[in-house]
Amino acid sequence: MHLLTVEDISKEEEGRTLVKEVCFSIDAFKKVALMGETGSGKSTVMKMMAGLVQPSEGNAFFEGLRIKGPDEVLLPGHPAIAYLSQHFELRNNYRVHELLEMANKMEDGEAAEIYLICRIDHLLERKVHQLSGGERQRIALARLLVGKPRLLLLDEPFTNLDLFNNRIINDVIHQVCNKMAITCVLVSHDPAEVLSWADELLIMKQGQLVFQGSPKLAYANPQNEYIAGLLGEYTLISPEQKTLYKLFGVEEKGKTIFIRPEKIGIGSGTTIRIPGSVVEVKFLGAHYRLLIKTSEMDLIAYAETDPGTNAMVHVYAKGD
């Protein structure tokens, strides 16, 4: 039996369809990422999964039992499902340990381990108004975890954080999922976070689920341009670009193909090469982003060294 099952769930609000007939299931202890453009319905689906928004149609089931919405219960939310919104709140005029004690269902040793994982063990005596944004978010996460949920829903936890705190909360979430017997669903717009973390990927567009599968499959062989664009840069090559298509798409049988920048080699490579000229170079830290003009179209490629603008290069297809 799946831990969570969503069956034909829909949501309409003020005459607008926010979510339409979404179906999927999640197994226990999986790490699942939910992606989609802004307004695609991700947060609404998450809130219906948590029992915080009433579906207009359809149902969500947790461990085989239907999750009741806020129209059916006195206090919205499922006791075994924790939901952390990007708009979380912490009560002022409390010390951190007081807030955590109110929610704690763990033994002291277990709770202490959560505080270490969330990197808040040194903040327990602080008052809420003395905390930074990143500290407040980690405390909000710890407060949910000490309640011993079996399903953790994280709705864009990296939003509004600087790079330093983004890396901390990213590492905390990795450790939480690796060390605790918990299933986690994460909403994020950052492909680097999703691809390195998720076991499974769900993608939404205009309120509908358009992909469910492995992140690697979605990245390497996207079904369409929408999915390709969510997960990073690419070059779209059609059969009309015959030279490039032959170079990169021998086995695609006439379909449009999506080539990621790291699959384009610059230099000698194999004996099959296409000449081009570098029209733009951008330094991105770990590599350079090149825009290369060929006789058929421009290509985006990554390189470890800067060949220089207007440099003549040869392009080849890298193997897996």
Side-chain angles (χ1 to χ4, degrees), residues 24-299:
F24 61 86
S25 59
I26 295 173
D27 292 331
F29 313 124
K30 290 291 186 180
K31 295 177 289 187
V32 180
L34 181 58
M35 296 188 76
E37 62 190 353
T38 300
S40 60
K42 305 182 301 296
S43 292
T44 303
V45 168
M46 290 276 274
K47 290 175 182 176
M48 289 191 286
M49 290 163 58
L52 299 174
V53 166
Q54 189 76 33
S56 301
E57 294 181 15
N59 293 292
F61 297 87
F62 182 77
E63 296 181 331
L65 299 177
R66 188 175 71 86
I67 299 171
K68 295 180 180 180
D71 294 352
E72 305 170 82
V73 294
L74 184 62
L75 295 175
H78 192 288
I81 301 175
Y83 172 78
L84 180 62
S85 166
Q86 57 180 301
H87 306 297
F88 67 89
E89 293 183 2
L90 295 177
R91 296 180 184 178
N92 285 321
N93 302 317
Y94 280 88
R95 295 192 184 278
V96 171
H97 72 85
E98 293 173 329
L99 287 177
L100 295 170
E101 287 164 4
M102 292 178 194
N104 189 24
K105 296 180 181 178
M106 291 183 166
E107 299 293 332
D108 290 346
E110 291 179 299
E113 185 175 0
I114 294 296
Y115 304 155
L116 282 171
I117 291 173
C118 292
R119 303 186 189 183
I120 64 165
D121 52 304
H122 62 295
L123 302 172
L124 299 179
E125 294 300 324
R126 295 245 193 113
K127 286 197 170 183
V128 171
H129 70 273
Q130 298 174 317
L131 303 170
S132 70
E135 291 168 343
R136 291 166 66 92
Q137 190 174 52
R138 298 199 305 277
I139 289 162
L141 175 59
R143 186 180 60 171
L144 293 176
L145 293 173
V146 295
K148 301 182 74 170
R150 296 193 294 282
L151 175 61
L152 178 63
L153 307 179
L154 301 172
D155 195 351
E156 299 193 54
F158 310 108
T159 302
N160 301 323
L161 292 179
D162 57 51
L163 182 60
F164 176 75
N165 280 294
N166 189 309
R167 287 173 176 168
I168 291 177
I169 195 68
N170 195 321
D171 185 55
V172 166
I173 291 170
H174 274 264
Q175 290 193 50
V176 164
C177 294
N178 290 335
K179 293 185 178 182
M180 296 182 65
I182 193 168
T183 307
C184 187
V185 181
L186 166 72
V187 171
S188 176
H189 288 281
D190 190 331
E193 292 159 356
V194 167
L195 294 171
S196 65
W197 177 82
D199 300 315
E200 190 167 15
L201 177 61
L202 306 172
I203 294 179
M204 293 191 64
K205 181 181 182 181
Q206 297 177 349
Q208 295 182 292
L209 187 68
V210 296
F211 177 84
Q212 179 175 9
S214 75
K216 184 176 181 180
L217 176 64
Y219 182 80
N221 297 290
Q223 298 171 353
N224 52 51
E225 198 165 357
Y226 175 76
I227 294 173
L230 286 177
L231 294 171
E233 291 195 292
Y234 64 92
T235 299
L236 188 153
I237 301 176
S238 70
E240 283 71 36
Q241 281 93 41
K242 294 181 180 179
T243 304
L244 288 171
Y245 193 84
K246 184 177 180 181
L247 183 64
F248 292 103
V250 174
E251 299 177 0
E252 292 299 321
K253 299 179 181 178
K255 297 188 297 183
T256 297
I257 57 176
F258 302 89
I259 303 300
R260 299 293 183 185
E262 62 272 18
K263 291 296 183 181
I264 298 176
I266 308 298
S268 55
T270 64
T271 55
I272 305 174
R273 297 178 294 156
I274 294 175
S277 62
V278 178
V279 296
E280 182 181 80
V281 178
K282 290 183 178 179
F283 176 59
L284 301 182
H287 57 263
Y288 293 88
R289 179 189 185 275
L290 311 180
L291 186 63
I292 301 171
K293 184 177 184 63
T294 73
S295 60
E296 293 183 326
M297 66 182 300
D298 293 349
L299 303 174

